[in-house]
Amino acid sequence: MSLHRLTSVCIGVPNVAETASYYEDFGLTRLADNRFATVDGGEQLRLVASPRRRLVELGIGVADPDDLDSVAARFTAVGVTFEQTPEMVVAIDPGTGVRVVLSIADPVDASPAPVTGAQNAPGRIERLTARAEAIERDNPVRPRKLGHVVVGSTDLEASERFFIKGVGFKVSDSIADAASFLRCSTDHHNLLVQAAPVPFLHHTSWQVEDVDEIGRGATALLNKDPARHVWGLGRHHIGSNFFWYLKDPAGNFSEYYADMDCIVDDQLWRPEVWSDIRALYSWGPPVPGAFLAPDDLVELMAAAHNP
Ligand SMILES: [Fe+2]
């Protein structure tokens, strides 16, 4: 695949220092200048000052210079204005307002998975006379990589054209007339674009090893501030991942996820259009209203109309 991963996100927030502390608590490694790294993905988050919260930039990695030429050719074909240098192609999606930067990047080199230990199940007792490995963990949770980003678009059709026909994302699944789950790697989705009354960042999602790391990470964050809770623990139907969503001090949601579907053979995957509750989840607590329409949505709409 010429596109092969998300490289980074740049998020604009009005309260950079406070939000930076949150992402440190979330388990990202703080670098200089409000930049943050994951274990496997390197530098993947940058916070910048902005009057209101928003996704400023989305970085996508490609394999080589020919891939940049291919992206440029596709943008030309669909009438998208872009800038190209030997290192990158840059364009702005009209529906989300996000600056998309495609650059040549190394693949994420996943360090080995931890030994999770044997599990017990009915008729399959693997862990004999011993406590579970997961309950012995006491190290802080450290996300492995940035997995996906969800953004609201005021022009879903234009955004889909931009990201699918222009950038080159593939469609993994969709929600009728509402959203598309798109991938630029073997992960089920790296980008979800959803119809919205205002462009906004819904959430960023960060991969951890397993469901225990989701629980441990969320518990640590909530022990510091229970108001950070948004929705979880649960399991999505689309993408199959376990999830727990929390909220940063600017109002952006951040998700710990584990065990997402991986699409390694495009020919064998059948995208589906979902229109029932499975569009949201397979199991978990009831979906909170604030997950569907964040509390500050009206405020963001007002600001968009009176910038
Ligand atoms: Fe997500």
Side-chain angles (χ1 to χ4, degrees):
M1 185 184 255
S2 56
L3 310 178
H4 59 82
R5 67 168 173 120
L6 296 187
T7 51
S8 62
V9 282
C10 174
I11 304 175
V13 295
N15 47 351
V16 174
E18 201 186 346
T19 305
S21 296
Y22 170 89
Y23 285 101
E24 259 189 303
D25 290 348
F26 191 77
L28 303 185
T29 301
R30 191 164 189 169
L31 310 173
D33 302 326
N34 298 306
R35 294 166 188 265
F36 297 83
T38 57
V39 173
D40 294 335
E43 184 181 318
Q44 297 210 279
L45 169 66
R46 180 163 52 108
L47 298 175
V48 296
S50 166
R52 51 197 168 83
R53 67 181 187 90
R54 68 188 190 97
L55 180 62
V56 175
E57 189 176 293
L58 176 66
I60 297 159
V62 303
D64 56 47
D66 289 349
D67 298 324
L68 294 177
D69 290 338
S70 302
V71 173
R74 289 195 296 268
F75 275 151
T76 302
V78 293
V80 168
T81 308
F82 62 92
E83 287 172 28
Q84 185 174 8
T85 69
E87 288 81 34
M88 61 180 73
V89 171
V90 181
I92 294 175
D93 167 45
T96 60
V98 175
R99 182 173 187 260
V100 175
V101 177
L102 294 116
S103 62
I104 298 164
D106 294 330
V108 167
D109 205 4
S111 39
V115 177
T116 51
Q119 297 195 339
N120 291 340
R124 199 187 69 233
I125 309 300
E126 295 174 344
R127 192 180 66 251
L128 305 172
T129 325
R131 301 183 204 280
E133 170 275 332
I135 65 161
E136 305 287 3
R137 298 177 193 169
D138 57 4
N139 56 316
V141 169
R142 299 278 179 218
R144 290 297 195 96
K145 69 171 186 185
L146 169 67
H148 62 269
V149 175
V150 175
V151 277
S153 169
T154 51
D155 189 341
L156 184 59
E157 212 180 306
S159 290
E160 288 176 339
R161 191 165 54 244
F162 177 92
F163 283 109
I164 300 166
K165 292 199 160 59
V167 178
F169 277 82
K170 294 174 180 172
V171 180
S172 296
D173 279 304
S174 53
I175 300 173
D177 302 320
S180 293
F181 292 77
L182 309 175
R183 68 183 186 279
C184 64
S185 72
T186 54
D187 296 334
H188 176 276
H189 55 278
N190 303 106
L191 175 67
L192 171 64
V193 183
Q194 62 181 28
V198 65
F200 77 104
L201 173 59
H202 187 275
H203 70 266
T204 55
S205 188
W206 306 82
Q207 185 186 41
V208 292
E209 283 85 354
D210 56 25
V211 69
D212 282 295
E213 290 304 272
I214 295 178
R216 291 196 326 112
T219 300
L221 280 173
L222 298 179
N223 282 344
K224 270 200 164 181
D225 182 0
R228 290 168 164 174
H229 176 73
V230 177
W231 187 31
L233 171 72
R235 188 159 198 162
H236 284 301
H237 190 92
I238 304 179
S240 304
N241 52 303
F242 293 106
F243 65 80
W244 198 322
Y245 294 89
L246 301 121
K247 187 162 68 169
D248 77 20
N252 305 295
F253 302 155
S254 60
E255 175 188 14
Y256 289 119
Y257 82 93
D259 196 20
M260 177 176 276
D261 296 335
C262 273
I263 302 174
V264 295
D265 188 335
D266 294 337
Q267 305 304 317
L268 295 180
W269 182 261
R270 295 277 170 269
E272 292 191 46
V273 179
W274 304 89
S275 54
D276 57 22
I277 195 66
R278 289 175 295 178
L280 287 168
Y281 69 143
S282 173
W283 58 260
V287 189
F291 181 81
L292 303 174
D295 294 338
D296 62 354
L297 201 58
V298 172
E299 202 181 306
L300 293 174
M301 287 166 65
H305 290 116
N306 304 291

